[in-house]
Amino acid sequence: MASEMMEALMALCQEKHIDELYLIDRLEQSLAKSYTEVLHLDWGARVTIDRATGKVYVYKLIPRDDSMDEETGEYTEFDEEDVTPKDASRIAAQHAKSEIMDIVRNSARQQIFEEFSHRIGDIITGTVLQTTPDFAIIKIREGVEAELPYFDQRRYPDERNERPAGERYIHNQRIRAIIVDVRDPNSKEQPVSGSRQRPTIVVSRTHPDLIRRLFELEVPEVYEGVVEVRSVAREAGVRSKVAVSSLDDRLDPVGACVGPKGSRVRTVVSELRGERVDVVLWSDDLATCVANALSPARVSRVIV
């Protein structure tokens, strides 16, 4: 049975891209804790697993009298006594299942963190997998999911609300959002309750940069850097002001963003579910910029 267990472990490690030595080390640590409790060992146990046969050995730790550390009051050296039970391999197989599942989850979360931690601020397109009263799960691609939170911050002040007012999501609905956070699975900071079980990636539909990224997708001049989105002021779900400028004096930046008959800005508005988007001309002169930002209102005078 032990040999069969090792063969199964090695096959699973190759399938899930898990380091074999790391998995066995985790199993040994987990079994040591379990056998300490099962065998009622005062000083703990050390467990080794034969890498070739899979046979499990359990050793009882016996402290040496002359190894007491006077400062900490703890023993530093131990003798070992073989106390391997007959069913050690069976118990190891049971532990292997839970440890493998835990390692696979953590490994997947770590890979997602390494891939997406440098993509904060990027726009993603996904489909809604599931909605709850507090957040929606967005599928980015197979095996990669994101969370779009919309917690009631009066009840959960430490959580986020990244959903514009009035938006609702249904299963299989395609939406665009911007990555605002990627949780580190190895972080030692105290996580928000339940966040360990939620997706690593956090996305937003309220962030002002979402509009900036949408214009990059819809307006070639913005993507190429000829037209620059200088500032975005947004009341998510209601109205936004986008100030733009051009590096080419012959190019009208507002006209480029609005598009023929408003086609480009209309696509952005459609993605934002009807949110009013005003594109105005940026100016380095503060008074002029304020007057432009108040468009379509006609400004008679600005006093700074």
Side-chain angles (χ1 to χ4, degrees):
M1 179 178 178
S3 179
E4 293 176 358
M5 183 187 76
M6 287 302 295
E7 291 178 2
L9 284 180
M10 297 306 104
L12 190 60
C13 286
Q14 292 180 359
E15 178 186 347
K16 301 294 184 180
H17 307 289
I18 301 173
D19 184 81
E20 299 171 4
L21 298 179
Y22 172 71
L23 173 59
I24 293 175
D25 185 59
R26 282 279 299 267
L27 281 176
E28 289 174 343
Q29 295 177 25
S30 176
L31 287 168
K33 294 179 182 179
S34 297
Y35 278 118
T36 298
E37 298 176 0
V38 171
L39 301 178
H40 306 289
L41 305 179
D42 296 331
W43 301 99
R46 186 176 73 86
V47 174
T48 61
I49 300 176
D50 191 297
R51 269 54 171 175
T53 65
K55 188 174 181 180
V56 177
Y57 299 91
V58 183
Y59 300 95
K60 173 183 178 181
L61 298 181
I62 304 172
R64 296 178 180 175
D65 294 334
D66 58 349
S67 66
M68 171 71 76
D69 189 318
E70 296 181 357
E71 294 183 2
T72 62
E74 298 180 355
Y75 291 100
T76 57
E77 298 180 8
F78 297 86
D79 292 320
E80 297 180 352
E81 177 184 339
D82 191 341
V83 291
T84 305
K86 295 181 179 180
D87 59 350
S89 295
R90 180 181 61 82
I91 296 176
Q94 294 174 345
H95 270 260
K97 183 178 179 180
S98 61
E99 284 295 322
I100 287 170
M101 294 302 294
D102 188 45
I103 291 172
V104 168
R105 282 194 300 268
N106 289 341
S107 176
R109 293 175 72 89
Q110 183 63 33
Q111 289 176 9
I112 291 172
F113 174 77
E114 291 175 357
E115 178 182 351
F116 286 89
S117 60
H118 305 295
R119 293 185 56 188
I120 293 177
D122 285 0
I123 193 170
I124 59 99
T125 302
T127 56
V128 178
L129 278 184
Q130 178 186 357
T131 59
T132 74
D134 298 317
F135 56 86
I137 304 299
I138 311 299
K139 178 182 177 181
I140 299 176
R141 66 166 190 262
E142 194 64 39
V144 179
E145 299 172 354
E147 172 191 295
L148 199 162
Y150 39 83
F151 286 84
D152 183 346
Q153 294 186 302
R154 292 171 298 181
R155 297 174 55 198
Y156 304 100
D158 295 329
E159 290 282 7
R160 302 171 183 260
N161 184 355
E162 304 291 348
R163 179 182 67 178
E167 280 197 4
R168 296 294 182 269
Y169 311 115
I170 59 175
H171 182 64
N172 275 342
Q173 178 182 350
R174 290 186 65 82
I175 63 173
R176 283 173 172 166
I178 192 168
I179 299 174
V180 292
D181 191 18
V182 182
R183 300 186 180 103
D184 186 352
N186 298 320
S187 174
K188 295 182 180 180
E189 295 182 5
Q190 187 66 27
V192 176
S193 178
S195 63
R196 293 290 191 194
Q197 288 71 45
R198 283 149 47 189
T200 302
I201 304 169
V202 181
V203 297
S204 172
R205 291 269 300 168
T206 62
H207 200 284
D209 279 350
L210 175 61
I211 294 181
R212 192 187 304 272
R213 299 305 180 198
L214 288 173
F215 272 106
E216 287 180 0
L217 292 175
E218 299 299 331
V219 183
E221 292 85 352
V222 175
Y223 179 78
E224 294 168 0
V226 179
V227 173
E228 184 179 359
V229 178
R230 301 292 296 271
S231 181
V232 178
R234 187 180 184 201
E235 185 180 352
V238 181
R239 188 169 190 159
S240 296
K241 294 279 187 177
V242 182
V244 296
S245 64
S246 175
L247 298 179
D248 187 345
D249 296 336
R250 298 168 296 176
L251 178 64
D252 175 18
V254 175
C257 292
V258 172
K261 297 183 179 180
S263 58
R264 291 175 175 176
V265 73
R266 194 180 302 119
T267 304
V268 174
V269 170
S270 176
E271 179 60 42
L272 298 176
R273 312 289 176 80
E275 179 178 322
R276 179 75 177 272
V277 177
D278 293 334
V279 182
V280 299
L281 185 63
W282 171 268
S283 174
D284 292 327
D285 177 65
L286 182 58
T288 304
C289 191
V290 169
N292 293 341
L294 291 173
S295 173
R298 297 179 63 183
V299 178
S300 59
R301 185 172 55 164
V302 176
I303 300 175
V304 179

